[in-house]
């Protein structure tokens, strides 16, 4: 059988990894796919010394790949929203299957892209868009298809996890670790996407759609980054038996779907709390299976290429099948997607860590307790430290039981209005994941 012809658009970190893995493992891949996979064209703007492309035809114009009649599958690895969207829609319009690692593109334009792909009867595969080399989309979409999914919680940004891990373990500074993540090719072109949680929110949006059968709704995801975390809070969390991780949480409730990315205290004895460095991990809780944990490299050249090539194998296996009988893009049949709403952050519920800087006066603790109890907020534990030498203020650290964010915001406003409370109350959400 003739090989399937693939066009790789973008020969950066992931593109060169994909080329190299396809070449190195060509025989194994063909044995799995049933046909060879040949890179018949590459679009790249500049040479990549990590990749010997040999005699493969090269163009600087990605759209030329989408228009090339020889090409069966377009692999979009250029990133971004604008040209990538044009490329993918052009490839689909030309009847080509698409493989992409572009989470931003899928999270923001996925509904439109999948609708066009259905019209054309082509596959759009995007395993590499979430958690790099971990096949979590396949697991959620196919392996867990029996379940009603209760929640998904993941460390899904390697750069952010690398920064938090290095800061905690080695006391390194934020810019120092970020520069290393950029040099290693983990960070996004705009690293604010990593540290402000936008990249994680893209990925969580995709996971939530596949978990709950809802359309992609990135604009409704709540996103809070790690840039304001202090080493003091990392230390207090440790003392209380917790680790702070940048977590994406998608939870199905009777009122709607929670979709939120934020720093989170997790009990230190949970496996996911011990996922360090650039590694990613995604927990999925289903009503039949219980809790599962998927762990692996969430970024990097060949781990991400592993997911891209797996998608290529899937496309090759399914390309001659009836489009109606393929696995749906978002796991649920398109006409069976649910309109269960995505909740605002005020309507979400979690436990909280609070750090209050208080004057060393009698009765402050009683006032704090009274403000919380008036709003039905149950205190789980309190830790009060010695007054700080430089300002005489007493750090008071509280853990609460679960409460709706709206009530916690009201309580924090009241706490900050107390004469004996100085500055802002630090608030970090807590998830026990049990
Ligand atoms: N910038 C991303 C990360 C790359 O650090 O996880 C993989 O999506």
């Amino acid at each position: 059988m003739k090989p399937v012809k693939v066009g790789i658009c973008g020969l950066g970190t992931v593109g060169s990894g994909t080329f190299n893995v396809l070449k190195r493992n060509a025989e194994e891949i063909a044995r799995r796919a049933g046909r060879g996979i040949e890179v018949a064209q590459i679009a790249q703007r500049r040479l990549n010394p990590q990749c010997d492309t040999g005699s493969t035809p090269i163009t600087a114009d990605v759209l030329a790949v989408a228009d090339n009649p020889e090409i069966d599958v377009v692999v979009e690895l250029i990133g971004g929203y604008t040209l990538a969207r044009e490329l993918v829609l052009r490839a689909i319009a030309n009847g080509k299957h698409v493989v992409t690692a572009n989470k931003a593109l899928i999270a923001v334009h996925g509904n439109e892209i999948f609708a066009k792909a259905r019209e054309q009867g082509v596959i759009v595969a995007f395993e590499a868009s979430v958690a790099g080399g971990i096949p979590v989309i396949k697991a959620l979409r196919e392996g867990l298809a029996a379940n009603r999914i209760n929640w998904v919680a993941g460390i899904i940004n390697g750069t952010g996890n690398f920064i938090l891990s290095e800061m905690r373990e080695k006391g390194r500074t934020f810019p120092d670790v970020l520069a290393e993540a950029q040099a290693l090719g983990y960070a996004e072109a705009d690293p604010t996407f990593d540290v402000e949680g936008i990249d994680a929110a893209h990925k969580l949006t995709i996971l939530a759609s596949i978990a709950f059968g809802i359309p992609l709704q990135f604009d409704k995801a709540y996103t809070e980054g790690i840039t304001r975390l202090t080493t003091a809070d990392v230390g207090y969390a440790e003392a209380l038996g917790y680790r702070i991780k940048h977590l994406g949480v998608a939870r199905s409730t009777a009122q709607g779907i929670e979709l939120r990315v934020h720093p989170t205290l997790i009990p230190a004895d949970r496996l996911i709390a011990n996922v360090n460095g650039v590694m990613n991990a995604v927990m999925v809780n289903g009503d039949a299976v219980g809790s599962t944990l998927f762990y692996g490299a969430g970024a990097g050249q060949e781990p991400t290429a592993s997911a891209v090539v797996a998608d290529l194998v899937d496309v090759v296996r399914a390309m001659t099948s009836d489009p109606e009988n393929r696995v749906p893009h978002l796991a649920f049949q398109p006409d069976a997607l649910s309109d269960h709403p995505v909740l605002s952050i005020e309507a979400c519920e979690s436990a909280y860590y609070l750090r209050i800087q208080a004057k060393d006066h009698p009765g402050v603790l009683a006032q704090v307790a009274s403000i919380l109890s008036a709003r039905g907020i149950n205190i789980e534990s309190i830790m009060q430290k010695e007054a700080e030498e430089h300002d005489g203020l007493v750090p008071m650290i509280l853990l609460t039981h679960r409460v709706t964010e709206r009530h916690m915001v009201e309580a924090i406003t009241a706490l900050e209005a107390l004469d004996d409370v100085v500055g802002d109350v630090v608030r970090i959400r807590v998830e026990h994941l049990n």
Side-chain angles (χ1 to χ4, degrees), residues 153-318:
I155 296 170
I156 43 181
N157 182 270
T159 302
N161 201 43
F162 182 57
I163 291 172
L164 287 182
S165 305
E166 292 285 303
M167 286 173 73
R168 187 180 68 81
E169 290 166 10
K170 301 181 189 155
R172 291 177 65 190
T173 64
F174 191 94
D176 176 32
V177 191
L178 178 59
E180 188 180 343
Q182 287 175 298
L184 292 169
Y186 299 144
E188 295 301 297
D190 176 354
T192 58
F193 273 42
D194 296 299
V195 297
E196 295 298 352
I198 299 160
D199 176 77
H202 286 143
K203 295 165 181 168
L204 185 70
T205 299
I206 297 170
L207 289 175
S209 286
I210 293 173
F212 307 123
I214 56 171
L216 294 149
Q217 294 166 79
F218 170 68
D219 55 332
K220 304 215 177 103
Y222 172 78
T223 306
E224 189 179 307
I226 57 173
T227 49
R228 280 171 298 155
L229 276 181
T230 65
T231 46
D233 292 309
V234 172
Y236 293 139
E238 291 264 359
L240 289 161
Y242 290 82
R243 293 268 168 86
I244 302 182
K245 291 289 177 188
H246 200 197
L247 208 67
V249 180
R251 188 189 306 272
S252 176
T253 75
Q255 292 72 37
I257 308 283
E258 296 186 357
L259 194 57
R260 48 194 171 92
V261 173
H262 47 70
T264 311
L265 268 76
I266 305 171
D269 60 2
R270 295 272 180 283
L271 281 176
I272 195 168
N274 295 282
V275 170
N276 292 316
V278 77
M279 303 308 277
N280 280 195
V282 182
M283 288 184 78
V284 181
N285 180 280
D287 69 334
V289 73
S291 283
T292 56
L293 175 68
F294 302 88
Y295 169 85
Q301 187 167 53
E302 291 214 352
T304 311
S306 164
V308 171
V309 174
D311 270 351
L312 279 170
V313 171
D314 262 0
V315 169
V316 173
R317 285 171 175 161

Side-chain angles (χ1 to χ4, degrees), residues 93-108:
N94 287 337
K96 299 183 192 310
H97 304 285
V98 172
V99 172
T100 177
N102 191 334
K103 56 259 163 165
L105 180 73
I106 296 298
V108 176

Side-chain angles (χ1 to χ4, degrees), residues 380-398:
E380 186 183 297
S381 61
I382 297 183
M383 180 169 79
Q384 190 170 323
K385 308 300 282 186
E386 300 285 296
E388 311 254 9
E389 266 181 29
H390 65 283
D391 56 12
L393 296 176
V394 178
M396 203 183 278
I397 294 104
L398 290 91

